[in-house]
Amino acid sequence: MSYDAQFRVWRGDIEGGELKDYTVEVKEGEVVLDIIHRLQQTQTPDLAVRWNCKAGKCGSCSAEINGRPRLLCMTRMSTFEETDVITVTPMRTFPVMRDLVTDVSFNYKKAREIPSFTPPPNLKPGEYRMQQVDVERSQEFRKCIECFLCQNTCHVVRDHEENKESFAGPRYLMRIAELEMHPLDVADRRNDAQEEHGLGLCNITKCCTEVCPEHIKITDNALIPMKERVADKKYDPIVWLGNKLFRR
Ligand code: SF4
Ligand code: F3S
Ligand code: FES
């Protein structure tokens, strides 16, 4: 069983562009990425789209479908009515390169700004001991496929280019939280999270969590605990006294 669907796809580059209308065949069991590929094969061989695994694991095919940040390869055509017009646009937060492909280098820059895992200096490989609960906490965060849908969605940067310099975004604030909560990491990341990576700009709207294709509880399990740790440090009377004495 197949039918013809109406697609509106953004075509253009950094100079500008527009939505273009296409009628394209849809077959049973297909996902939106299949339809984009059929468009390339039959009507628009120059349509640019980034993809790799077609299995929701490489994080390459992020875009917006009817305005919602989604993976093209994990969005089934059966979630739409046959009469729906389906609009596919590039991620809004990052500069367009061409058509559905954006320049996501903002994220690589933010990743590089976070100091790596810092175990105690004398600890040798094989001497690491962790509780299962700590292993599981890290494992949840490590399911991240770096699709950057959360980074694209967060309102702090989505329409505020001016915040990009001072805000790492949910994916990298989660990385800081992962390291801060790691029992073997000896670096104190709380001050940097707040002062250098913009943790205070997050007002826990949870939009990042809603779009995560790996269903990582970014806000509840990473951002809120990190905010609590920052607050504990700030309002801890012993830390407060230490700061006072140190400043004298
Ligand atoms: Fe994508 Fe989720 Fe990782 Fe964000 S945390 S980059 S939404 S997988
Ligand atoms: Fe943005 Fe997520 Fe915080 S959407 S405001 S980082 S909870
Ligand atoms: Fe790899 Fe969609 S193509 S996540």
Side-chain angles (χ1 to χ4, degrees):
M1 280 261 288
S2 71
Y3 68 95
D4 283 343
Q6 301 302 314
F7 264 66
R8 308 195 83 191
V9 182
W10 195 88
R11 306 295 313 270
D13 56 27
I14 193 80
E15 305 291 326
E18 59 181 346
L19 289 167
K20 293 235 167 103
D21 291 316
Y22 303 98
T23 303
V24 55
E25 187 187 13
V26 176
K27 294 180 186 163
E28 202 167 339
E30 288 185 326
V31 294
V32 173
L33 185 61
D34 291 316
I35 312 309
I36 296 293
H37 284 162
R38 182 160 302 120
L39 263 178
Q40 283 181 323
Q41 286 155 9
T42 58
Q43 303 179 46
T44 58
D46 61 339
L47 171 60
V49 60
R50 188 186 279 131
W51 70 284
N52 210 309
C53 69
K54 204 170 170 278
K57 286 297 158 207
C58 73
S60 308
C61 67
S62 301
E64 303 196 2
I65 302 172
N66 293 343
R68 287 189 64 84
R70 309 284 296 259
L71 294 179
L72 296 175
C73 74
M74 296 303 284
T75 306
R76 292 183 178 280
M77 285 303 297
S78 58
T79 57
F80 307 104
E81 298 292 333
E82 291 188 6
T83 50
D84 284 352
V85 178
I86 298 166
T87 304
V88 187
T89 47
M91 285 193 284
R92 191 163 101 193
T93 300
F94 310 120
V96 167
M97 296 176 84
R98 195 156 69 84
D99 302 335
L100 300 177
V101 176
T102 50
D103 174 0
V104 292
S105 54
F106 162 80
N107 301 286
Y108 307 140
K109 178 172 175 286
K110 295 297 167 183
R112 281 195 296 271
E113 287 171 3
I114 300 169
S116 58
F117 175 56
T118 313
N122 300 327
L123 197 68
K124 296 186 181 56
E127 291 178 356
Y128 288 31
R129 292 289 179 272
M130 282 173 72
Q131 304 234 7
Q132 188 60 25
V133 64
D134 293 319
V135 172
E136 280 163 13
R137 188 189 305 113
S138 283
Q139 276 176 343
E140 183 193 12
F141 303 147
R142 285 185 166 254
K143 286 193 301 180
C144 174
I145 58 170
E146 305 245 283
C147 66
F148 308 131
L149 287 175
C150 58
Q151 302 282 95
N152 171 54
T153 304
C154 178
H155 67 94
V156 174
V157 284
R158 187 165 170 89
D159 288 312
H160 296 281
E161 191 66 30
E162 71 278 9
N163 284 341
K164 282 189 176 167
E165 192 57 37
S166 52
F167 187 63
R171 194 272 168 266
Y172 296 105
L173 289 170
M174 178 175 86
R175 172 69 178 149
I176 296 168
E178 179 195 341
L179 291 167
E180 172 64 27
M181 291 189 267
H182 195 297
L184 292 171
D185 189 273
V186 293
D188 184 351
R189 299 169 186 274
R190 293 173 290 182
N191 202 47
D192 275 6
Q194 193 74 4
E195 305 298 330
E196 308 289 331
H197 304 291
L199 181 65
L201 290 171
C202 163
N203 52 358
I204 54 176
T205 56
K206 298 197 182 186
C207 313
C208 51
T209 303
E210 278 172 27
V211 298
C212 178
E214 286 293 317
H215 308 293
I216 304 170
K217 293 200 170 81
I218 307 168
T219 320
D220 286 355
N221 290 351
L223 306 184
I224 292 174
M226 195 63 208
K227 279 176 176 283
E228 286 169 352
R229 283 173 178 243
V230 169
D232 282 353
K233 184 179 182 195
K234 199 166 168 191
Y235 299 113
D236 182 326
I238 295 174
V239 173
W240 179 83
L241 187 65
N243 284 342
K244 282 269 177 205
L245 292 172
F246 184 71
R247 282 208 195 105
R248 278 183 186 165

